[in-house]
Amino acid sequence: MTVPPHHAPASVAVPDTRIAAEATELVRDTTNELIYHHSRRVYFFGSLRGRHRGLSHDPELLYIGAMFHDLGLGEKFHHSGRRFEVDGADEARRFLQSHGVPEDSVRRVWTAIALHTTPGVPEFMEPEVALVTAGVEYDVLGLGFDEIPDEDRAEIVALHPRPDFKERILRSFADGIAAKPETAFGTVKADVLQHFLPGYTRGDFVEIIRNSPWPE
């Protein structure tokens, strides 16, 4: 299901631009319905949380950041050796550069995607960076849940449903990084692998320092 051009759920419009339309088509073609609906909700929730915070942002950049933010979980990236956030950010950068988007805008989107699972940093950066994370934190963690009125939240979820979302997104995270567990070191995804990947042993930062080749 896509949002009709004339309909703006919770009075948040999807940018009516060629880049936004192509991004929507790309994500629909290369991910499953779970990631597609989640990504769209991230845009709407991020926009509304930005309104709540009084943050002025570029809707097109926020939309691209939201739509590409989990692209790196896809099968084609399972053996990249990079964090899935970086794979998604790189895909967004290639996409935007192919459309001649200015480099500062490309950088904002890249940063928004790369940092969307890094707590405590994006909120102090440019609005587009802050609001991709704000949308993700709302949809996945329920942070700031009461910032958005019940009727707005219900309208968005009606358009982009989330059946059994908690367990399905956790499994999607696990499937997306199980083949490269080393990339979860120091990230929230280490928690996911500890629950979902049999035999996984998370790295220990303290032990890495103590066992480094330095004599003291």
Side-chain angles (χ1 to χ4, degrees):
M1 178 191 300
T2 57
V3 179
H6 62 275
H7 182 68
S11 71
V12 176
V14 171
D16 185 18
T17 65
R18 183 170 64 90
I19 292 179
E22 290 185 15
T24 303
E25 184 176 356
L26 185 153
V27 174
R28 293 238 48 177
D29 289 346
T30 59
T31 67
N32 56 28
E33 49 86 24
L34 172 75
I35 297 300
Y36 171 73
H37 287 303
H38 166 55
S39 300
R40 294 273 291 199
R41 291 194 306 270
V42 165
Y43 170 71
F44 290 121
F45 292 144
S47 298
L48 289 174
R49 294 195 76 191
R51 188 179 300 170
H52 180 82
R53 298 181 189 182
L55 291 180
S56 177
H57 63 275
D58 183 318
E60 187 173 70
L61 298 184
L62 179 58
Y63 187 73
I64 301 300
M67 294 306 289
F68 277 76
H69 85 277
D70 272 347
L71 212 63
L73 292 171
E75 188 174 353
K76 68 178 284 191
F77 304 108
H78 285 184
H79 299 281
S80 71
R82 294 182 299 271
R83 284 178 56 168
F84 87 92
E85 301 94 332
V86 172
D87 285 328
D90 283 350
E91 286 294 293
R93 177 164 58 196
R94 283 188 284 271
F95 174 81
L96 291 171
Q97 287 177 338
S98 74
H99 287 81
V101 173
E103 201 55 41
D104 179 67
S105 297
V106 174
R107 178 190 56 78
R108 289 187 184 214
V109 173
W110 191 96
T111 303
I113 298 170
L115 291 183
H116 83 265
T117 61
T118 302
V121 175
E123 64 195 276
F124 300 105
M125 301 185 71
E126 296 98 332
E128 296 81 12
V129 178
L131 296 180
V132 168
T133 291
V136 170
E137 290 178 339
Y138 192 93
D139 199 44
V140 178
L141 305 175
L143 298 187
F145 197 71
D146 293 332
E147 290 179 10
I148 295 176
D150 293 348
E151 60 271 21
D152 289 347
R153 183 170 58 249
E155 187 178 9
I156 291 166
V157 172
L159 285 166
H160 295 291
R162 35 178 296 145
D164 197 26
F165 177 71
K166 292 179 179 181
E167 292 305 318
R168 293 172 72 212
I169 196 65
L170 284 169
R171 173 52 64 184
S172 183
F173 292 154
D175 291 345
I177 58 178
K180 47 181 181 180
E182 70 284 353
T183 65
F185 175 70
T187 81
V188 295
K189 294 303 184 281
D191 296 338
V192 174
L193 292 184
Q194 188 166 332
H195 282 267
F196 287 88
L197 185 62
Y200 172 71
T201 302
R202 62 192 305 152
D204 186 319
F205 182 62
V206 173
E207 291 304 314
I208 290 173
I209 292 175
R210 287 176 172 166
N211 295 322
S212 83
W214 286 100
E216 58 187 27

